[in-house]
Amino acid sequence: MQKSFFLLLGFIYFSMNALATEVHYQLEMPNPNSHYFEVTMDISDLKSNETILKMPVWAPGSYLVREFAKSVNLVKVFDNKGVKIPIEKINKNSWLINTKGHSTIKVKYEVYAFELSVRTSFLDDSHGYINGTSMFMYIKDKKGINGKLTIKPHPSFKKIATALPLESGTTYTFKDYDHLVDCPIEIGNHQEFSFEAAGVHHKVAMYGKGNYDIEKLKTDMAKIVKSETKIFGENPNKEYLFIIHNLTNPSGGLEHKNSTTLQVSRWTYEGNSYFGFISLVAHEYFHLWNVKRLRPKELGPFNYDEENYTDLLWVMEGFTSYYDELALRRAGLYTQDQYLGKLFGTINYVENQPGNLVQPVAHASFDAWIKAYRSNENSVNTTISYYSKGQILAAMLDIYIITKFKGKKSLDNFMQALYQEFYKKKDIGFTEEEFHAALEDFLGEDMDWFFDNYIYGTQVIDYEKFFKGIGLAVTGQKTIPNSKLGIRTKTENGKIKITTVYSGSVAEEQGLSVNDEIIGFNGYRLTEAVTMDHIDELSVGEKIDLLIARDGILLSYTITIKESFNMHYDYNRNFDGNQEKLFDYWLRVDEF
């Protein structure tokens, strides 16, 4: 027993010694117009002869290798007397430093930051924005060490907004590298306001002018927070930060554990577009539970060197997409029919994508790294969105649970069970097999039919069967597609060009291709008076002569219009017995 005790002490000492290295980052921006941040890393208590620094290749929540090292320049290392130490770049995102005999070193490098998105960093004379994985290097095998970050804003910037704990002045602390890079930073002269909801203090940093109403935002954002907190039964944060960029060309949102960055159109805060904004708020806020805490095993702790593959993005993003719209209903911002209009709009979008019958949603999740973020002109024919398809599958599961348990349980209860088991008890990610087993345990039945048909298969969802349980009669009708040729076009410099050719369409069958310029048909030039609408008004069996230009060569095609159709799903209330209560339970408005 005494031996075991000393072995344990030795292990603890070794573990502490292994993590004893300390790092203090300094971030400066002496010339914002250059778009360069200057980063310094003061590293102490080194005990190895060699130290490797690494730069992430991707940003968690955005599943694409972005090669952040491409923006890093002038990497230099100095000892504690200011003497240069040799450094060698050994691969695309790693630098080797000879630290033999050096317990303390200073690393300096600069990062070019001129891509304003939620995934990257940006600096100009109006503000600075940092997404940590695109800015901060880390010490290989030492991501678990804690440290500090001191920010030295340009004199023209008066405010800093970040969820990092403030130590003093402009110095912040972090418990490990994951924590550091999971807290985006806004530096500038943004407008700030705050609100309380669900026992959490929420701060909002608003960059850029827009038509927003702060009091309305406080009210509606608080409603979203309360409704989503009620789903899980608790809010794990004491404080939360929204960084909102109001732009001409926004890029959406990105989730973090206790903050988010949203980029929206500066004029999004009125009319129907406002629902798009508040839905984005709901989406990214829901992620503080689903993805940032409740997660697949691949999504934390992260491997920043390469792709992190998972089949479960249809749950992480799809379920979140389901709840971001449902939260608006529960918050009283949507009517029942407004919500159903959104859901059935998604159903009709998905079911009319040829790729829905080609790519299972689990494969769409796994292939996010090479397909979802790298779409091309043929993607509509071969892929499906794990956001949209996952949203529909979440709705079907919710309805199935509500029907099975007669309104005593819903998908909320399943999410709570997952949250308790995998986050609260263990704080670990789950595998595809564990998720499958957890759902079967919750429902008390074999769910292979659901996974085989809809997750790992491409069978059309039996909407009529699912919705019948809550009293909605769903019908699917064949409708005439927008394009009888089966193409999508765009007008570019007065030229009408084909951008998409649908699989199985007349255009594909009879020889039209993406990038063809349609010049005329039946002897008439396409103009503002003679448009593509004239083609789409033709009847099945009619023939048309098309004149196109392909790679500078004029070609003539005789095209025969053939029958084609889309599917349009719609609903009617058809309550029987207890179904109306189940329907109202599904689309209830929360009380607080």
Side-chain angles (χ1 to χ4, degrees), residues 42-43 77-85 101-108:
D42 287 306
I43 304 172
V77 186
F78 305 88
D79 66 12
N80 58 2
K81 295 181 180 179
V83 178
K84 273 191 176 183
I85 297 174
H102 300 284
S103 63
T104 300
I105 62 172
K106 185 184 293 290
V107 181
K108 291 192 171 190

Short mmCIF file of all heavy atoms in Angstrom, two decimals, residues 42-43 77-85 101-108:
data_model
loop_
_atom_site.label_atom_id
_atom_site.label_comp_id
_atom_site.label_asym_id
_atom_site.label_seq_id
_atom_site.Cartn_x
_atom_site.Cartn_y
_atom_site.Cartn_z
N ASP A 42 5.37 34.45 -24.55
CA ASP A 42 6.41 34.28 -23.54
C ASP A 42 6.20 32.90 -22.91
O ASP A 42 5.21 32.68 -22.20
CB ASP A 42 6.32 35.37 -22.49
CG ASP A 42 6.81 36.71 -23.02
OD1 ASP A 42 7.95 36.76 -23.52
OD2 ASP A 42 6.04 37.69 -22.96
N ILE A 43 7.15 32.01 -23.18
CA ILE A 43 7.03 30.63 -22.71
C ILE A 43 8.11 30.39 -21.66
O ILE A 43 9.30 30.63 -21.90
CB ILE A 43 7.18 29.62 -23.86
CG1 ILE A 43 6.16 29.94 -24.97
CG2 ILE A 43 7.02 28.19 -23.37
CD1 ILE A 43 6.36 29.12 -26.24
N VAL A 77 12.36 33.65 -32.69
CA VAL A 77 12.45 33.19 -31.30
C VAL A 77 13.69 33.80 -30.66
O VAL A 77 14.76 33.89 -31.28
CB VAL A 77 12.52 31.65 -31.23
CG1 VAL A 77 12.47 31.20 -29.77
CG2 VAL A 77 11.40 31.01 -32.03
N PHE A 78 13.54 34.20 -29.38
CA PHE A 78 14.64 34.82 -28.64
C PHE A 78 14.75 34.17 -27.26
O PHE A 78 13.75 33.71 -26.69
CB PHE A 78 14.41 36.32 -28.47
CG PHE A 78 14.18 37.05 -29.77
CD1 PHE A 78 12.90 37.17 -30.29
CD2 PHE A 78 15.24 37.60 -30.47
CE1 PHE A 78 12.67 37.84 -31.49
CE2 PHE A 78 15.03 38.27 -31.66
CZ PHE A 78 13.75 38.40 -32.19
N ASP A 79 15.99 34.16 -26.72
CA ASP A 79 16.15 33.67 -25.36
C ASP A 79 15.87 34.81 -24.38
O ASP A 79 15.48 35.92 -24.78
CB ASP A 79 17.53 33.06 -25.16
CG ASP A 79 18.66 34.09 -25.26
OD1 ASP A 79 18.39 35.31 -25.25
OD2 ASP A 79 19.83 33.66 -25.35
N ASN A 80 16.11 34.55 -23.09
CA ASN A 80 15.76 35.56 -22.08
C ASN A 80 16.69 36.78 -22.08
O ASN A 80 16.46 37.75 -21.38
CB ASN A 80 15.72 34.94 -20.69
CG ASN A 80 17.03 34.30 -20.29
OD1 ASN A 80 18.01 34.36 -21.05
ND2 ASN A 80 17.06 33.69 -19.12
N LYS A 81 17.75 36.73 -22.93
CA LYS A 81 18.63 37.87 -23.08
C LYS A 81 18.43 38.60 -24.40
O LYS A 81 19.17 39.52 -24.74
CB LYS A 81 20.08 37.41 -22.97
CG LYS A 81 20.44 36.86 -21.59
CD LYS A 81 21.90 36.43 -21.54
CE LYS A 81 22.24 35.89 -20.14
NZ LYS A 81 23.66 35.44 -20.08
N GLY A 82 17.42 38.15 -25.16
CA GLY A 82 17.13 38.78 -26.43
C GLY A 82 17.94 38.26 -27.60
O GLY A 82 17.91 38.83 -28.69
N VAL A 83 18.67 37.17 -27.39
CA VAL A 83 19.47 36.56 -28.46
C VAL A 83 18.60 35.59 -29.26
O VAL A 83 17.84 34.80 -28.69
CB VAL A 83 20.69 35.83 -27.88
CG1 VAL A 83 21.50 35.16 -28.99
CG2 VAL A 83 21.55 36.79 -27.08
N LYS A 84 18.73 35.65 -30.59
CA LYS A 84 17.92 34.79 -31.44
C LYS A 84 18.26 33.32 -31.23
O LYS A 84 19.42 32.95 -31.04
CB LYS A 84 18.14 35.15 -32.91
CG LYS A 84 17.22 36.24 -33.42
CD LYS A 84 17.31 36.34 -34.94
CE LYS A 84 16.33 37.37 -35.46
NZ LYS A 84 16.36 37.43 -36.95
N ILE A 85 17.20 32.50 -31.29
CA ILE A 85 17.34 31.04 -31.19
C ILE A 85 16.90 30.45 -32.52
O ILE A 85 15.92 30.90 -33.11
CB ILE A 85 16.46 30.49 -30.05
CG1 ILE A 85 16.92 31.04 -28.71
CG2 ILE A 85 16.49 28.97 -30.03
CD1 ILE A 85 16.03 30.65 -27.56
N GLY A 101 18.90 23.94 -23.16
CA GLY A 101 19.55 24.93 -22.32
C GLY A 101 18.75 26.19 -22.09
O GLY A 101 19.23 27.13 -21.45
N HIS A 102 17.54 26.24 -22.62
CA HIS A 102 16.69 27.44 -22.47
C HIS A 102 15.41 27.06 -21.73
O HIS A 102 14.61 26.25 -22.22
CB HIS A 102 16.33 28.03 -23.83
CG HIS A 102 17.51 28.48 -24.64
ND1 HIS A 102 18.21 29.63 -24.38
CD2 HIS A 102 18.12 27.89 -25.70
CE1 HIS A 102 19.21 29.76 -25.24
NE2 HIS A 102 19.18 28.71 -26.07
N SER A 103 15.19 27.63 -20.60
CA SER A 103 13.94 27.39 -19.87
C SER A 103 12.89 28.44 -20.20
O SER A 103 11.69 28.25 -19.96
CB SER A 103 14.18 27.37 -18.37
OG SER A 103 14.65 28.63 -17.92
N THR A 104 13.33 29.57 -20.77
CA THR A 104 12.42 30.66 -21.11
C THR A 104 12.73 31.15 -22.52
O THR A 104 13.90 31.38 -22.85
CB THR A 104 12.57 31.84 -20.12
OG1 THR A 104 12.28 31.38 -18.80
CG2 THR A 104 11.63 32.98 -20.48
N ILE A 105 11.70 31.29 -23.33
CA ILE A 105 11.88 31.83 -24.68
C ILE A 105 10.77 32.83 -24.99
O ILE A 105 9.71 32.83 -24.36
CB ILE A 105 11.89 30.72 -25.76
CG1 ILE A 105 10.54 29.96 -25.77
CG2 ILE A 105 13.06 29.77 -25.56
CD1 ILE A 105 10.42 28.98 -26.93
N LYS A 106 11.02 33.66 -25.97
CA LYS A 106 10.02 34.61 -26.46
C LYS A 106 9.85 34.35 -27.96
O LYS A 106 10.81 34.41 -28.73
CB LYS A 106 10.47 36.04 -26.22
CG LYS A 106 9.43 37.11 -26.60
CD LYS A 106 9.99 38.51 -26.41
CE LYS A 106 10.24 38.84 -24.97
NZ LYS A 106 9.00 39.00 -24.17
N VAL A 107 8.62 34.04 -28.36
CA VAL A 107 8.29 33.79 -29.76
C VAL A 107 7.51 34.98 -30.29
O VAL A 107 6.55 35.44 -29.64
CB VAL A 107 7.45 32.50 -29.92
CG1 VAL A 107 7.13 32.26 -31.40
CG2 VAL A 107 8.17 31.31 -29.32
N LYS A 108 7.91 35.48 -31.45
CA LYS A 108 7.18 36.59 -32.08
C LYS A 108 6.80 36.21 -33.50
O LYS A 108 7.59 35.60 -34.22
CB LYS A 108 8.05 37.85 -32.10
CG LYS A 108 8.30 38.46 -30.74
CD LYS A 108 8.91 39.85 -30.85
CE LYS A 108 8.95 40.54 -29.49
NZ LYS A 108 9.30 41.96 -29.59
#
